[in-house]
Amino acid sequence: MYNGRIASLLRLRQSHQLLHCHQIGARAMATSGPTATIKKRVVAGSFLFKIPDGDDKKARVALFRRSGKVSTYQHKLAPCSGSVEASDASPFAAALREIQEETTLPASSLDLLRVGKPYAFTDESIGREWNINPFAFRLKDVTEGGKGEEGIKLDWEHDGIEWFDPMQVSGSDEFGGVPRLIDSLRRVWPEYDLGLEAGIILTEGLQKLRDDHEHGARELAGMAVLTLRDVIRQMDLSHPIDESWWSKIRMAAWHICQSRPSMGAAITSATVKALSALKAVYHADADNATKIQQMTQALDQQLSDRHSVTDRICQSFTEYIQQNILRDGQAKKPVSILTLSLSSTISSCLLRAASTLGVALDLHVLESRPLCEGVTLASKMLKSSPEGSGLKVTLYSDASIALAARGVDLVLLGADRISSAGDVSNKIGSLPTVLTTRYVSPNIKVLVLSDTEKIAGPGSMDEHSSEENSYSELSRAWKGIVEGAQTVEDALSRDDPRLAVKNAYFEWVPAKLVDAYATEEGLWSTEQIQDKSTWIGNEVEHCFKDL
């Protein structure tokens, strides 16, 4: 479904991909030598897929027969491709533009499946160096609000469109594809290299990571490691565990890291840690079966070790409460805390502090629309605290932050990402919560609870992609209740350019508004966050640089 995935991934890996554009300028450049001139082009290449009934075994990929009017590779089969222009915000933006120009399909008819790792090659026969940015989209049918296959109307660049089982696409001359067609396809359809069964496991895992809006970054990072483990288990043992095998696993891991940009820091940290453990086994002297067993055991151990992280964050939180909220060791009755959304780490820390310190909690919780996770947090706290424990929970609408902020001792935030500077990405509403509380209670403390794997690699908060999701999560609350809701719904369904509905999930709280970070390694400073960010950046480069 076209929603936040396309909006949120508009800037996905933009800094990495636009590097190609800055280096090349997407225009001709001369090479050394008296006769040869190689024109360098940055290209976005998009594979369109039909996946009937959501069954990847039935997947078909569209290849376009290039016409005799194009300047290169006439009459060859190719993805929908075009140059990244200076006016394009990113290669992804270029991909959407080219699809609409060449097929008339709008972005609302597409569901982004994969963003392939960019690569480059030179075709000396035509004097071109191509820098390819591959993408894969699922074609939405009319029942999903898309135009479907029937909505494709080709322009002059193509003579026709043909649908293939992606596993049957070939790089042979007889197949008739453009050069390196398979290299582009395998970067967005890992099933081609992993095999059907392992590929399906990867695809299902990526889908779960993209679509899960109930769990936080920590839980999704665990799901990422599980997906990688299950892919390895399913790999065909008839092939040697050699350099080719290792490249396939790293490519699968790369796709896992890109699956959910807003949660990418935690997912990437957990995944590169897993690759580090796998690499040690990969280089060991053992047969295939033994290596697979040892690899899965290593990942199981990593998953098991994650269980102790929350306990250690709880210890850091309790330490912070003792040092900054309680006065002279005497418990204030009660301790008043404002929070929002649903975080298993926050609920665990609150319950642990109340039990360990013997304090009563006056918990102010914003309902956290559109999914109202704050209500779930309130429910969880009530179920876990017996009557008479001193717990009081008050739910507030998101618009009543100023009322909720009165008299609180602490604003407690989770984190889905932390930038190298210490800026915190959390559920939408976090920034106005902090700003309003600072106004209402100027001496309030703002504490972030997070495990260190949520720290992203180098880059400012503006360089991170955002996530926006389906407007239907908002509009379903209007239906049958709000006057004029149907008029708005009708306008949205026909893509009325006068109307837009925004449903952002996350926003950034600048580091200057945060007092402290409670992690599994203690109370951290922004300097420690910077060091961790540099480390993860180096690890990512080491894991994926040569793919």
Side-chain angles (χ1 to χ4, degrees), residues 370-409:
L371 301 183
C372 298
E373 298 99 331
V375 178
T376 305
L377 175 62
S379 170
K380 187 173 183 178
M381 293 297 297
L382 292 172
K383 289 179 179 179
S384 302
S385 300
E387 293 186 17
S389 63
L391 173 69
K392 180 182 178 182
V393 180
T394 305
L395 279 163
Y396 292 85
S397 67
D398 293 346
S400 58
I401 299 173
L403 294 177
R406 290 179 180 175
V408 300
D409 302 299

Side-chain angles (χ1 to χ4, degrees), residues 186-199:
R186 67 178 12 127
R187 286 169 182 268
V188 297
W189 196 252
E191 291 89 335
Y192 195 91
D193 287 323
L194 297 177
L196 184 59
E197 296 304 323

Side-chain angles (χ1 to χ4, degrees), residues 24 34 55 71 151 242 247 275 320 330 342 376-377 424 446 459 533:
I24 298 165
D55 186 352
S71 59
D242 55 12
S247 293
L275 285 177
Y320 185 86
Q330 298 297 316
L342 173 64
T376 305
L377 175 62
V424 176
V446 177
S533 175

Side-chain angles (χ1 to χ4, degrees), residues 12 39 65 117 120 216 228 256 261 272 287 377 390:
L12 178 65
K39 294 182 179 180
R65 180 72 67 179
K117 194 172 189 300
L228 185 59
I256 290 171
V272 298
D287 58 66
L377 175 62

Side-chain angles (χ1 to χ4, degrees), residues 287-325:
D287 58 66
N288 283 6
T290 300
K291 284 186 176 182
I292 294 295
Q293 181 183 29
Q294 291 177 349
M295 286 179 177
T296 56
Q297 287 174 345
L299 297 188
D300 284 337
Q301 185 61 53
Q302 179 179 338
L303 291 166
S304 177
D305 292 343
R306 296 174 63 82
H307 296 316
S308 66
V309 170
T310 299
D311 287 340
R312 287 180 280 153
I313 295 175
C314 288
Q315 293 173 6
S316 297
F317 174 67
T318 301
E319 176 185 340
Y320 185 86
I321 293 294
Q322 288 176 316
Q323 295 176 356
N324 296 275
I325 305 301

Side-chain angles (χ1 to χ4, degrees), residues 30-211:
T31 64
S32 60
T35 58
T37 297
I38 299 294
K39 294 182 179 180
K40 299 187 178 184
R41 298 273 299 278
V42 180
V43 174
S46 299
F47 293 91
L48 305 186
F49 285 84
K50 293 189 300 185
I51 307 180
D53 305 317
D55 186 352
D56 289 326
K57 294 180 180 179
K58 301 177 182 178
R60 294 295 181 268
V61 61
L63 294 178
F64 295 79
R65 180 72 67 179
R66 294 170 64 82
S67 74
K69 300 176 183 178
V70 295
S71 59
T72 59
Y73 308 131
Q74 296 176 351
H75 310 300
K76 297 292 187 180
L77 292 169
C80 183
S81 306
S83 295
V84 178
E85 305 293 349
S87 58
D88 291 317
S90 67
F92 183 78
L96 293 178
R97 175 182 54 76
E98 288 289 342
I99 291 172
Q100 185 153 29
E101 289 176 359
E102 297 181 11
T103 70
T104 73
L105 291 173
S108 57
S109 288
L110 305 169
D111 184 16
L112 182 65
L113 286 177
R114 310 270 172 78
V115 178
K117 194 172 189 300
Y119 73 104
F121 73 95
T122 299
D123 186 347
E124 294 183 354
S125 68
I126 62 169
R128 291 284 197 279
E129 179 182 305
W130 302 106
N131 287 260
I132 311 296
N133 295 273
F135 299 91
F137 296 90
R138 183 181 65 85
L139 188 61
K140 293 166 59 177
D141 62 34
V142 292
T143 64
E144 301 173 277
K147 293 188 176 182
E149 183 181 354
E150 298 77 12
I152 296 176
K153 295 179 176 57
L154 300 179
D155 69 354
W156 61 271
E157 295 185 48
H158 301 109
D159 287 335
I161 183 173
E162 300 175 39
W163 294 91
F164 296 89
D165 179 340
M167 306 299 287
Q168 301 303 316
V169 175
S170 168
S172 67
D173 292 339
E174 292 77 13
F175 187 81
V178 295
R180 306 292 285 272
L181 174 64
I182 294 302
D183 285 339
S184 294
L185 178 60
R186 67 178 12 127
R187 286 169 182 268
V188 297
W189 196 252
E191 291 89 335
Y192 195 91
D193 287 323
L194 297 177
L196 184 59
E197 296 304 323
I200 288 175
I201 289 173
L202 177 61
T203 297
E204 291 176 348
L206 296 176
Q207 190 73 40
K208 289 177 182 177
L209 289 168
R210 285 196 298 262
D211 293 344

